[in-house]
Amino acid sequence: MSELIDQSELQSRAARLVEAARKAGADACDAIAVTGVSLSVDVREGKVEETERAEGDDVTLRVFVGKRTAAVSANRLDDPASLAERAVAMARVAPEDPYAGLADQDLLVKEFPELELLDTKEMTAEDLTQIALEAEAAGLEVEGVTKSGGAGASWRLAGVVLATSHGFQGSYMSSRYGMSMTAVAGEGTGMERDYDFDSRTYFEDLEAPAEIGRRAGERAVRRLNPNKLSTRTANVIYESRAARSILGHLVGAINGAAIARKTSFLKDRMGEAVFAPGIQVVDDPFKRRGAATRPFDGEGTRAERLDVIEDGVLRHWFLDGASARELGLTPNGRAHRSGSGTSPGATNVTLMPGEKSLEELMAEAGQGLLVTDLIGHGVNGLTGDYSRGAAGFWFENGQIVEAVSEITIAGNLKDMFARLVPGRDLDNRYSAATPSVMIEGMALAGS
């Protein structure tokens, strides 16, 4: 892939910026250089709607003058000295930040593991068009599907280099392949739509386009003629796609920045049981071919797999350098680079599976709501109060009896976490990976 991304040029850009910043008077600095190329194709009704190719370069220099910091970004690096001087001048008039600074040298990555982040298979527009057309055709073949909402396929290649004034330099390249299909079932005001998709680091790991299209069509058809539920309390099962949002609420609640600001409902729960015994949540930055796998974080800090929830007990926050300093803790390699600075976050986080299939969870629950789609973002991170619009299926005696929609699910995440029961159907493709989960006794607001 050297003809598309020149890592040596990225390394040179970052090194030149660091050198220029030190000459301009920065006490410390780091520079990140990113480049990428992407190609995507969208089709509808057997015809190409859009083909888009994008190439981009970006460099960001972050400088520290005492406890003052500033950052500047550019698409080109024609004059490193001018960029560095501007950054240093900005830092000198910035307010002091007692928690600002580079990562401690003894925490920096020294060895870079092989993580299988780069597939060398280059895609053409013709390749992607064929994938998208195949997915769309399979969706349209499903009985009850009346039209296509479109299908797409994409390919992306990216390169990253991070260099710091205290001697760190690391780089990696990554690839990503994806496809999706949206199907529409029914006619007029009774139309329903649904979709399916896949995204992988290696092309060979992608599901067949026909499978994606078929599942999109089947999901759309089974949503036809939904009814409304009366307001009630019921057991709720989130299928794995919807359950990822529950894991996302946990990730947000144990973000070190939220803990430092005291804006998380879990801020005082370290070392306490947050989930039921047996529940495990792990975060693994070194998962091979993982969606969020990386050899180093946004500060060059080494990381390791964290057992975030161990036997139901909360064991770790996600920490970058600034949040760790504010909390008096040690960073754990979870810094994400975001423009002018870093923020803490998860990598490949997984709610480990339980022992029962989705069907067994439904049988155990007896009757309740199977959630397949969530709407809105009604979650209060400070209190844990939860309210989301939902659609899915009502089941009785463990069997689906009808499609339902226009439902609001309400509760509190503290109680929801404590009652959560994971299934065994782990969907391990994405950076947030979960099986289906069951939560007893949720409030449902309907008609």
Side-chain angles (χ1 to χ4, degrees):
M1 292 292 185
S2 59
E3 68 277 10
L4 293 175
I5 291 182
D6 186 351
Q7 286 289 81
S8 62
E9 173 58 26
L10 282 183
Q11 292 167 349
S12 174
R13 290 179 198 171
R16 281 183 285 155
L17 271 177
V18 168
E19 181 181 3
R22 295 307 302 268
K23 289 181 178 178
D27 296 324
C29 61
D30 63 12
I32 187 165
V34 179
T35 191
V37 57
S38 64
L39 181 64
S40 64
V41 175
D42 294 320
V43 304
R44 188 188 297 268
E45 298 179 354
K47 298 179 180 179
V48 174
E49 278 200 327
E50 183 177 28
T51 300
E52 181 177 353
R53 182 182 177 93
E55 298 183 19
D57 296 284
D58 184 71
V59 292
T60 299
L61 173 67
R62 184 174 61 154
V63 302
F64 301 90
V65 177
K67 287 295 182 180
R68 304 174 191 272
T69 183
V72 293
S73 298
N75 296 331
R76 300 175 58 183
L77 192 60
D78 298 327
D79 188 355
S82 176
L83 198 69
E85 288 167 2
R86 189 157 68 249
V88 171
M90 291 167 58
R92 284 175 173 152
V93 297
E96 288 195 351
D97 180 353
Y99 309 112
L102 298 179
D104 293 342
Q105 274 190 292
D106 60 356
L107 296 178
L108 297 176
V109 174
K110 302 297 192 299
E111 298 180 358
F112 302 98
E114 171 52 49
L115 299 171
E116 297 185 64
L117 296 179
L118 179 65
D119 187 345
T120 57
K121 181 176 179 63
E122 185 176 351
M123 304 297 287
T124 66
E126 290 75 18
D127 295 331
L128 297 177
T129 299
Q130 183 59 40
I131 290 169
L133 288 173
E134 187 177 342
E136 182 181 54
L140 288 171
E141 287 178 358
V142 175
E143 185 177 356
V145 171
T146 51
K147 64 176 65 176
S148 167
S154 61
W155 166 70
R156 176 177 58 82
L157 180 68
V160 178
V161 170
L162 175 66
T164 73
S165 59
H166 59 1
F168 176 84
Q169 186 170 90
S171 66
Y172 62 92
M173 294 175 64
S174 63
S175 56
R176 203 70 182 165
Y177 304 81
M179 71 176 108
S180 64
M181 192 270 166
T182 299
V184 180
E187 299 285 353
T189 58
M191 289 193 300
E192 295 288 341
R193 70 173 57 217
D194 212 323
Y195 66 96
D196 200 26
F197 65 100
D198 196 11
S199 177
R200 307 287 183 130
T201 298
Y202 274 63
F203 181 78
E204 66 186 20
D205 294 333
L206 277 174
E207 291 196 69
E211 282 296 299
I212 297 298
R214 178 186 61 78
R215 283 207 302 267
E218 291 174 349
R219 290 178 67 93
V221 170
R222 70 177 187 169
R223 293 182 65 159
L224 287 171
N225 304 313
N227 290 318
K228 295 181 181 180
L229 291 177
S230 60
T231 297
R232 66 187 72 181
T233 298
N235 299 325
V236 173
I237 297 176
Y238 294 78
E239 70 169 7
S240 58
R241 182 192 292 184
R244 287 202 297 271
S245 68
I246 304 293
L247 185 58
H249 299 320
L250 171 67
V251 168
I254 60 176
N255 181 295
I259 302 303
R261 293 193 301 265
K262 301 186 184 304
T263 56
S264 166
F265 66 94
L266 293 181
K267 64 182 183 297
D268 300 317
R269 300 293 301 277
M270 180 58 71
E272 296 182 10
V274 174
F275 289 83
I279 301 295
Q280 304 285 124
V281 178
V282 302
D283 188 76
D284 186 3
F286 302 139
K287 177 182 175 182
R288 289 184 179 274
R289 303 191 182 189
T293 298
R294 58 195 185 184
F296 54 87
D297 75 348
E299 297 175 308
T301 306
R302 65 175 180 266
E304 60 185 16
R305 168 179 155 144
L306 298 179
D307 292 313
V308 177
I309 302 294
E310 185 177 19
D311 197 22
V313 176
L314 175 60
R315 297 297 187 191
H316 296 278
W317 311 126
F318 294 125
L319 300 170
D320 65 349
S323 61
R325 293 184 195 102
E326 188 168 359
L327 293 168
L329 300 171
T330 301
N332 52 27
R334 264 60 183 185
H336 289 247
R337 199 64 183 244
S338 54
S340 62
T342 65
S343 58
T347 61
N348 299 295
V349 61
T350 302
L351 170 63
M352 302 304 286
E355 299 178 352
K356 297 178 180 178
S357 67
L358 174 60
E359 293 74 19
E360 288 170 331
L361 287 178
M362 291 170 61
E364 180 178 312
Q367 69 175 20
L369 174 66
L370 173 63
V371 177
T372 60
D373 193 27
L374 289 164
I375 304 165
H377 302 280
V379 176
N380 186 320
L382 180 61
T383 64
D385 288 337
Y386 178 95
S387 178
R388 298 286 306 272
F393 302 90
W394 184 254
F395 61 90
E396 294 178 357
N397 300 316
Q399 301 294 317
I400 290 174
V401 295
E402 61 179 349
V404 292
S405 64
E406 298 183 39
I407 304 159
T408 299
I409 306 174
N412 187 281
L413 288 169
K414 296 177 187 177
D415 301 325
M416 292 168 65
F417 288 168
R419 299 198 302 270
L420 183 146
V421 178
R424 67 166 182 250
D425 57 339
L426 176 65
D427 184 350
N428 207 23
R429 294 175 289 177
Y430 308 107
S431 58
T434 69
S436 299
V437 302
M438 179 174 69
I439 302 174
E440 295 181 348
M442 296 288 293
L444 306 183
S447 58

